[in-house]
Amino acid sequence: MVMKIKQCCCYRHGILQPRNPWSDGPEYVTQCPIQPGTNFTYELVLSTEEGTVWWHAHSDWTRASVHGVIIILPAVGTTFPFPEPDEDEVIVIASWYKGNLQSRVDMAMAEKNTLPDSDAFTINGQPGDLIPCSADSTYRWKVEYGKTYLLRILNANMDEDLFFGIAEHNLTMVGMDGCYTKPLDTSYIMISAGQTMDVLLTANQSLGHYYMAARHFATENMDRIVWFDHYNVTAIMEYNGNYTYPTYPSLPSTLPMYFDMQSYKDFIFQIRSLATPEHPVSVPQDRDITTRMFITTSMNSLYCSADSDSSCQNIQITSSVNNLSWFNPSDIDILQAYYRNISGTYTTDFPDYPPTFYNFTEESMDIDTVLTVQGRKVKVLEYNESVEIVFQGTDVLAGSINHPMHLHGYTFYVVGQGFGNFDNVTDPKNFNLVDPPEVVTFGVPKKGWMAIRFTANNPVKNGPTTETSMRPPPAYMPLCPSNSGIQNFHDSAEKKMEYT
């Protein structure tokens, strides 16, 4: 795979950066991309994170190959909320693309075609010995009988959910996205793109070789699939010791198949926060909620532009939330425009509800739901208010899939999820407000919904004190490529603006 990077940003996925959005990383949102021949130093501010999170590039598709794991250990004087493992092992599941990936993406966009599917998945850089090109370089992990290992697993794929398991060995999930969970014993996990999981494994089986394997959990419509990555990526767990090596390692017999929705449900609906005095949760209760939003997620087509010729048939594929498709500014990022009170870059009228209500989970080709518009609309939250968002998946253009949603700067609680259209009368009665999963990334089910809650206590809009206000920007921030008049912050203290 070749990835020629023309510009780049870097994001620490799962590190909350309290009061420090300047080092968050998404291009054109909290900073302009770093241009070739220049550099930018990020400052990491840790807070409540503990466990495994990750970092990745945040420009175009650079995340496909520019990524890695960040391990945050318990604070000095504390320990894990489970028996301390003997060793750690990092498992990064990623993708391999043939050719120049960015060129493939650019071509697909220009031709208004579907984006590239991976040609193989990888574990720690290798597709595994089921694929000839990797037969001699398959990743091998050596273990000692009787030891317990903490697997720090990252799904670094662009958009693919994966089942993962290890032959003849049980797993116990104990953490997710830098937060602890109640121990969940299982023979496999289902990990969405962008998620990290901390999983315990005890090497207690007969001395031998065992495959660890991952398989795509596909939620595309089976009758419409042209191609997706069917290869099962493998690595080999090898016991140390004297024994006769097998001709082939054992495969995980309990690894679910591609379309196994029931196995997805059986795993994902069991996840709970640890919720102990040492690791408490703070779930906003019904009486606390000050902002409620209902956001549809859809695949759409854009309207033909005013200068389109007569052949335009509204076929450019895009995605939208509440029927709005985001497009980046060109001369300044959103955060600087906000901080410096520069108008014209964005508007603050992102809607709390979609423009129309319909049967969201029914396949729709209706022109009123298919067509969308582009915009730069944002939602501004007051400091410390409690927020509830229901994400509703739709089947517009038959595009419904299980899709991960991610929130920068916060963890959030998944208080409810289900299939079909969200019912705002009956579904909230079943919300888990005691020990819901606390995460930074979680999947909206195919033709379903997910309800989250969080407290907006990581300021962009400032609170009443210095400690509840956004820090001033660093002296230097990258310039956008087309920037012709926006200068850097030579004296951050003098440039600071207060927002109340």
Side-chain angles (χ1 to χ4, degrees):
M1 175 172 61
V2 176
M3 173 66 79
K4 185 177 181 181
I5 300 176
K6 294 178 286 187
Q7 59 187 28
C8 191
C9 295
C10 187
Y11 169 55
R12 275 68 46 200
H13 193 120
I15 293 181
L16 307 184
Q17 298 278 27
R19 302 182 54 227
N20 187 34
W22 307 103
S23 285
D24 192 47
E27 66 175 2
Y28 297 107
V29 178
T30 62
Q31 69 168 92
C32 297
I34 304 166
Q35 299 302 307
T38 67
N39 63 77
F40 177 66
T41 300
Y42 291 95
E43 179 184 4
L44 271 63
V45 180
L46 300 180
S47 54
T48 60
E49 307 90 344
E50 192 170 315
T52 308
V53 293
W54 65 302
W55 63 271
H56 59 80
H58 210 298
S59 303
D60 295 321
W61 275 46
T62 50
R63 175 165 66 86
S65 57
V66 183
H67 54 249
V69 162
I70 299 173
I71 297 172
I72 304 174
L73 298 174
V76 175
T78 67
T79 187
F80 298 104
F82 44 82
E84 185 167 353
D86 296 292
E87 296 180 27
D88 286 8
E89 177 70 11
V90 172
I91 302 294
V92 177
I93 310 173
S95 296
W96 180 261
Y97 297 84
K98 294 179 181 177
N100 187 313
L101 176 56
Q102 192 59 55
S103 295
R104 290 175 61 181
V105 173
D106 292 343
M107 182 179 295
M109 296 293 288
E111 296 177 352
K112 302 177 182 180
N113 207 340
T114 56
L115 293 169
D117 289 299
S118 61
D119 295 293
F121 296 123
T122 61
I123 290 179
N124 290 357
Q126 293 293 329
D129 64 358
L130 301 182
I131 298 176
C133 68
S134 185
D136 296 329
S137 54
T138 298
Y139 182 74
R140 293 173 179 270
W141 170 40
K142 292 185 178 295
V143 300
E144 293 286 348
Y145 181 84
K147 283 189 174 182
T148 296
Y149 297 85
L150 178 58
L151 303 184
R152 299 181 180 275
I153 305 172
L154 160 64
N155 182 352
N157 285 285
M158 295 301 294
D159 199 34
E160 292 85 1
D161 295 338
L162 295 166
F163 292 117
F164 173 86
I166 299 179
E168 300 180 36
H169 287 75
N170 290 324
L171 307 172
T172 301
M173 190 180 82
V174 293
M176 188 175 185
D177 288 353
C179 300
Y180 291 118
T181 64
K182 286 182 170 62
L184 175 56
D185 295 327
T186 180
S187 61
Y188 66 91
I189 62 171
M190 200 298 296
I191 184 167
S192 290
Q195 285 183 334
T196 56
M197 290 185 181
D198 293 330
V199 175
L200 295 173
L201 174 143
T202 299
N204 56 7
Q205 297 301 304
S206 300
L207 301 186
H209 292 183
Y210 299 85
Y211 273 127
M212 60 178 81
R215 176 179 291 147
H216 185 190
F217 170 47
T219 55
E220 298 89 342
N221 287 353
M222 294 177 65
D223 59 341
R224 292 177 179 268
I225 289 177
V226 177
W227 164 255
F228 69 85
D229 193 340
H230 286 75
Y231 287 116
N232 298 323
V233 57
T234 58
I236 298 174
M237 186 180 78
E238 300 181 359
Y239 279 81
N240 289 324
N242 295 318
Y243 57 91
T244 301
Y245 286 9
T247 304
Y248 296 103
S250 301
L251 279 165
S253 60
T254 58
L255 193 66
M257 292 301 293
Y258 306 104
F259 299 100
D260 192 341
M261 182 64 73
Q262 188 59 51
S263 290
Y264 157 78
K265 295 178 188 178
D266 290 344
F267 175 76
I268 214 73
F269 281 79
Q270 293 186 71
I271 300 173
R272 298 286 186 270
S273 289
L274 186 56
T276 62
E278 296 77 18
H279 299 279
V281 295
S282 182
V283 186
Q285 301 298 299
D286 292 343
R287 63 182 178 275
D288 302 323
I289 302 299
T290 53
T291 292
R292 282 187 165 89
M293 303 178 72
F294 182 82
I295 298 178
T296 54
T297 62
S298 301
M299 186 73 71
N300 298 93
S301 294
L302 289 175
Y303 283 94
C304 293
S305 61
D307 58 353
S308 298
D309 60 34
S310 58
S311 65
C312 178
Q313 298 180 356
N314 300 304
I315 60 173
Q316 183 168 339
I317 299 299
T318 187
S319 57
S320 76
V321 286
N322 279 356
N323 210 39
L324 289 168
S325 184
W326 178 267
F327 73 105
N328 288 328
S330 59
D331 59 352
I332 191 172
D333 60 82
I334 299 297
L335 182 60
Q336 284 202 48
Y338 170 81
Y339 189 82
R340 303 178 70 179
N341 202 23
I342 297 173
S343 61
T345 303
Y346 64 91
T347 60
T348 59
D349 55 344
F350 181 84
D352 289 346
Y353 300 94
T356 59
F357 281 75
Y358 52 96
N359 184 354
F360 299 114
T361 56
E362 182 179 54
E363 183 178 320
S364 175
M365 300 293 176
D366 185 86
I367 198 71
D368 292 331
T369 58
V370 165
L371 294 180
T372 188
V373 295
Q374 291 185 310
R376 288 195 294 268
K377 298 177 183 286
V378 306
K379 175 72 174 180
V380 180
L381 299 172
E382 298 295 328
Y383 178 77
N384 217 37
E385 69 171 303
S386 296
V387 182
E388 177 186 288
I389 302 176
V390 175
F391 293 103
Q392 174 69 62
T394 75
D395 203 23
V396 175
L397 292 180
S400 180
I401 60 171
N402 189 78
H403 187 75
M405 301 300 293
H406 170 56
L407 186 61
H408 285 235
Y410 301 93
T411 60
F412 59 84
Y413 296 100
V414 182
V415 297
Q417 54 185 317
F419 294 89
N421 296 315
F422 176 75
D423 188 314
N424 65 354
V425 175
T426 59
D427 286 326
K429 295 178 181 178
N430 296 315
F431 281 179
N432 176 4
L433 304 181
V434 177
D435 60 354
E438 183 180 6
V439 294
V440 298
T441 304
F442 213 82
V444 178
K446 176 184 175 69
K447 295 187 180 181
W449 56 270
M450 174 179 72
I452 72 170
R453 290 185 178 183
F454 66 97
T455 302
N457 56 7
N458 192 358
V460 171
K461 190 167 186 179
N462 290 339
T465 67
T466 300
E467 291 73 23
T468 60
S469 299
M470 180 172 58
R471 294 165 54 181
Y476 169 77
M477 291 293 294
L479 291 174
C480 287
S482 62
N483 186 301
S484 58
I486 304 299
Q487 301 300 313
N488 289 307
F489 296 92
H490 298 296
D491 188 339
S492 297
E494 292 181 3
K495 296 292 185 180
K496 181 177 180 182
M497 296 183 179
E498 299 293 338
Y499 288 83
T500 58

